């Protein structure tokens, strides 16, 4: 009886150790999300990237995530918990996670970190972003061509370079095709708050905007535009195709999947290095959602040509002559903006009648 | 800057719509707190109401039924809190926070199939004759029915609390539950009814967001409205008409600052964006400095008597 008991105990121990070893073989990949995975925009697309990792590696990976993590001290706690939970690689997917990511990375030198849309790196921290401003250029072109009131509303989130780049790019390309266009900008000071986003859209519409662009993450502005009936919108971060063909006439789609798969593979095979990645239309990280039939055929053709030129590098969204808002020269004829200036952009281009809030 | 682009009539009408979800949630919580119970689960009940109301409306094409079911869902969730705090004597603060987390989680689960779906919204109800009055008509009398329902709830709550025996008993239970118990009143029963009312109102407030104000289902869409409602209750010193004032003030400043931004007023954007919260905090500080801010005497205290 005692021998049987010992045998069973031994078998259980072996099985347990085997299970633990198998679990240890798995690469654990963590994701920190700023909104809910069902936001229909930014976080939804990052979660699609997470699912792409699961699909690519199957049983070899385990993914974990935490959604709706506020930027700031809470983020540091959440990232720390994820590292303590045994994550080998952690993607922190919002600008405001930059310093928390750097701080936590210093305490966990064996864990690899990837921070989205920031500019800081460390030996175990990479950063990555997409050239969303290329998509904004296409949106600006369509908006400038389609507005009847010459008033374009822009719902901005926070005054960070990524958002300011988007406003400038959209404005430049709207102004290029419609010199009478003006931008009305509302800073929502949130990435995700459907009621505030809807209220912002309504305020802009009530003040004459017949095109709404957004750099916030929910589909609420689309719903507000649909209710208004004569306002066009663009999907942000995700296709938001449930509002196509009208009011949503096109979109910027963030495709994080290939990058997430690539970086996970690098951790798995030991080739991961700290890098800064900034991809755009050409690399497939920024997609332009289908331009609907609500857009006139000639405008659609022009927008697609602009998309292709941005994609193959024959055209840069920030090409001179361009002045800063205060009238000082920025880019000469034919000159393109360098990545350093774009990465830290903290000024509007000439013609935008608004002020950038201090962060 | 072009202030002429701000239409004051549209602005004031928008104010009423923006304030309604907070107003509904806050009046419900005011009654709960008047009965001596602190339920921090307002956000959880609101978002549960939002998803249930949306789901029912999508499936039945009947927004009124959606609102009714949202109220039932909010009340049902509040009963979970009620049983835990009134019968099992759990800590009210911890249980309320747990209820919020539970509500956020369960709404996410229920709402998954409804993301991106269209919904039949409440149509506007133009009050005959009154809606034709210049200026006042469009501001006050061209809203969806829930705007009027919310004001009726405020009026009814004020009347019940101040002019009826039931209201007197509820306030007595909230001020001193031991004395109320000694007089033979069923403290727990009174509190459970108040908690259910609070849950129903929170559910209605949530459904208003998903069925009228946005109108769609998005995970996490209440985005802190329940916490604002809790602040409004204190802001209002637990008085129904002040709840109305507080909610309309907060909603009004929120809508106004967005309009002022769009009009390009030369006020720093960060000041405008934070103004609803700053003003709420300043009023709360002013109330606290006055000393007697009217908090029910037994608020948050556990009732230990045997039954």
């Amino acid at each position: 009886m005692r021998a049987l008991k010992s045998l069973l105990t031994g078998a259980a121990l072996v099985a347990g150790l085997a299970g633990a070893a198998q679990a240890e073989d798995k690469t654990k990949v963590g994701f920190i999300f700023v909104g809910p995975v069902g936001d229909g925009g930014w976080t939804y697309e990052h979660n699609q990237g997470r699912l792409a990792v699961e699909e690519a590696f199957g049983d070899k990976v385990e993914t974990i995530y935490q959604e709706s993590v506020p930027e700031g001290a809470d983020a540091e706690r959440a990232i720390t918990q994820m590292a303590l939970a045994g994550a080998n690689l952690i993607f922190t997917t919002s600008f405001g996670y930059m310093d928390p990511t750097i701080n936590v990375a210093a305490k966990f030198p064996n864990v690899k970190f990837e921070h989205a849309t920031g500019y800081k790196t460390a030996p175990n921290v990479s950063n990555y972003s997409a050239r969303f401003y290329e998509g904004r250029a296409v949106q600006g072109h369509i908006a400038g061509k389609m507005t009847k009131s010459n008033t374009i509303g822009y719902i901005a989130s926070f005054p960070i370079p990524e958002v300011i780049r988007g406003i400038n790019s959209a404005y430049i390309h709207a102004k290029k095709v419609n010199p009478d266009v003006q931008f009305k900008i509302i800073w929502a000071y949130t990435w995700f708050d459907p009621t505030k986003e809807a209220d912002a859209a309504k305020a802009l519409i009530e003040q004459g905007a017949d095109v709404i662009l957004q750099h916030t993450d929910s589909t609420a502005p689309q719903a507000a535009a649909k209710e208004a009936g004569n306002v066009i919108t663009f999907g942000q971060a995700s296709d938001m195709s449930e509002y196509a063909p009208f009011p949503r006439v096109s979109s910027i789609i963030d495709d994080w999947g290939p990058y997430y798969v690539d970086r996970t593979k690098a951790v798995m095979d030991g080739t991961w290095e700290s890098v800064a990645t900034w991809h755009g239309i050409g690399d497939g990280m920024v997609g332009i959602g289908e331009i609907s039939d609500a857009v006139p055929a000639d405008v659609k053709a022009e927008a697609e040509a602009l998309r292709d030129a941005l994609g193959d590098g024959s055209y840069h969204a920030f090409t001179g002559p361009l002045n800063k808002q205060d009238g000082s020269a920025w880019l000469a004829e034919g000159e393109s903006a360098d990545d350093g200036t774009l990465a830290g952009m903290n000024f509007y281009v000439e013609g935008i009648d608004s002020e950038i809030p201090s962060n | 800057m072009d202030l002429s682009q701000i239409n004051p009539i549209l602005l004031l009408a928008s104010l009423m719509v923006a304030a309604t979800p907070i107003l509904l949630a806050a009046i419900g919580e005011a009654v709960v707190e008047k009965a001596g119970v602190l339920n921090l689960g307002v956000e959880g009940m609101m978002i549960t109401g939002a998803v249930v109301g949306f789901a029912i409306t999508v499936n039945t094409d009947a927004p009124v039924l959606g609102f009714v079911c949202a109220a039932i869902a909010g009340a049902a969730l509040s009963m979970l809190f009620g049983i835990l705090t009134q019968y099992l004597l759990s800590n009210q603060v911890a249980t309320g926070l747990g209820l919020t987390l539970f509500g956020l989680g369960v709404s996410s689960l229920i709402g998954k199939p409804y993301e991106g779906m269209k919904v039949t919204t409440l149509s506007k109800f133009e009050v005959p004759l009154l809606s034709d009055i210049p200026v006042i008509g469009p501001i006050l009398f061209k809203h969806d029915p829930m705007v009027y329902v919310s004001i009726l709830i405020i009026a009814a709550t004020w009347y019940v609390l101040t002019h009826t025996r039931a209201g007197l008993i509820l306030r007595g239970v909230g001020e001193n539950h031991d004395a109320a118990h000694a007089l033979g009143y069923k403290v727990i029963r009174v509190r459970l009814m108040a908690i259910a009312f609070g849950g129903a109102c929170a559910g209605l407030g949530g459904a208003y967001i998903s069925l009228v104000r946005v109108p769609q289902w998005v995970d996490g869409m209440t985005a802190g409205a329940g916490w604002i409602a809790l602040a409004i209750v204190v802001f209002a010193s637990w008085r129904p008409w002040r709840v109305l004032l507080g909610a309309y003030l907060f909603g009004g400043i929120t809508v106004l600052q967005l309009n002022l931004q769009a009009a390009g007023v030369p006020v720093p954007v960060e000041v405008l964006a934070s103004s609803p919260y700053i003003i709420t905090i300043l009023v709360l500080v002013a109330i606290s400095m006055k000393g007697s801010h009217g908090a029910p005497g037994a608020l948050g205290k556990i009732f230990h008597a045997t039954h």
Side-chain angles (χ1 to χ4, degrees), chain B residues 139-157:
Chain B
I139 294 171
L140 296 177
F141 303 113
K142 285 187 178 179
H143 288 288
D144 59 88
M146 281 308 296
V147 170
Y148 308 119
V149 168
S150 68
I151 296 166
L152 282 172
I153 289 172
I154 292 281
T157 302

Side-chain angles (χ1 to χ4, degrees), chain B residues 250-264:
Chain B
F250 185 87
I253 297 163
T254 302
V255 170
L256 178 63
Q257 70 90 3
L258 293 170
N259 276 273
L260 291 174
Q261 275 197 59

Side-chain angles (χ1 to χ4, degrees), chain A residues 20 30 47 91 93 95 123-124 158 165 174 215 236 291 295 306:
Chain A
N47 192 54
F91 292 94
T93 65
F95 180 83
N124 60 331
F158 293 96
R165 275 195 304 272
H215 203 137
Q236 149 67 9
I291 299 169
V295 178
L306 176 58

Side-chain angles (χ1 to χ4, degrees), chain A residues 36 38-39 184-187 189 192-196 198-200 202-204 206-207 219-220 223 226 242-243 357-358, chain B residues 5-6 10 14 18 112 115-116 118 209 213-216 218-221 223 255 258-259 261-263 269-270 273 277:
Chain A
D39 69 356
K184 283 183 173 291
I185 301 161
I186 288 181
W187 293 92
Y189 277 91
F192 175 83
D193 183 340
T195 51
K196 192 183 271 188
D199 286 344
K202 285 170 190 169
L204 290 164
E206 282 168 9
Q207 290 190 33
T219 51
K226 183 176 182 286
E242 61 269 30
Y243 287 93
S358 56
Chain B
Q5 291 190 329
I6 299 176
L10 286 174
S14 299
K112 198 76 191 149
E115 285 164 7
K118 308 282 195 303
I209 293 173
R213 191 150 168 223
V214 175
Q216 57 182 197
V218 185
D219 194 2
M221 71 185 303
V255 170
L258 293 170
N259 276 273
Q261 275 197 59
V269 169
E270 49 272 42
Y277 307 97

Side-chain angles (χ1 to χ4, degrees), chain A residues 24 26-30 86-90 110-113 267:
Chain A
E24 223 166 272
K26 278 189 176 185
T27 300
K28 200 169 193 177
V29 185
N88 308 103
L89 171 64
I90 299 174
N110 297 325
V111 179
K112 307 294 185 251
F113 295 84
V267 167

Side-chain angles (χ1 to χ4, degrees), chain B residues 76-244:
Chain B
L77 201 59
S78 74
M79 282 298 93
L80 187 61
F81 170 88
I83 289 161
L84 287 169
T85 58
Q86 301 309 302
Y87 287 113
L88 303 178
L89 306 183
S90 68
N91 179 283
Q92 289 179 16
V93 172
T95 310
L97 291 172
L99 190 69
T100 283
L101 295 173
F102 178 73
L104 289 166
V106 83
S107 67
S108 186
L109 183 69
I110 296 167
K112 198 76 191 149
Y114 295 97
E115 285 164 7
M117 283 193 179
K118 308 282 195 303
V119 71
T120 307
T121 188
L122 277 181
S123 50
K124 285 191 167 47
F125 173 69
E126 298 192 5
V127 181
L129 300 175
L130 295 176
S131 61
D132 298 326
I133 301 169
V135 183
I136 294 170
I139 294 171
L140 296 177
F141 303 113
K142 285 187 178 179
H143 288 288
D144 59 88
M146 281 308 296
V147 170
Y148 308 119
V149 168
S150 68
I151 296 166
L152 282 172
I153 289 172
I154 292 281
T157 302
W158 167 79
Y159 182 80
V160 168
L161 286 177
T162 56
H163 288 75
T164 69
R165 177 179 160 80
L168 186 64
I169 292 167
L170 184 136
R171 285 186 291 136
V173 164
E175 286 301 330
N176 189 330
H177 48 219
D178 292 322
H181 177 64
L183 288 169
Y185 295 118
K186 307 284 187 193
V187 172
I188 288 177
R189 187 186 298 169
V190 169
R191 285 185 169 172
L192 284 176
M193 287 165 73
I195 289 165
F197 175 77
C201 287
L204 287 174
Y208 191 81
I209 293 173
S210 65
L211 293 177
V212 179
R213 191 150 168 223
V214 175
Q216 57 182 197
W217 165 251
V218 185
D219 194 2
M221 71 185 303
T222 47
W227 299 108
I228 298 298
L230 280 157
I232 297 284
V233 174
V234 183
F235 174 106
S237 305
W238 293 267
R239 293 176 194 170
W241 290 114
R242 284 200 197 170
V243 168
L244 180 80

Side-chain angles (χ1 to χ4, degrees), chain B residues 31-58:
Chain B
V31 170
V32 176
E33 293 188 20
K34 270 288 190 189
V37 179
L38 178 64
N39 184 355
L40 298 182
V42 180
E43 180 86 356
M45 296 182 295
M46 276 187 91
I47 198 152
T48 303
V51 73
V52 168
F54 190 87
I56 295 295
T57 306
V58 164

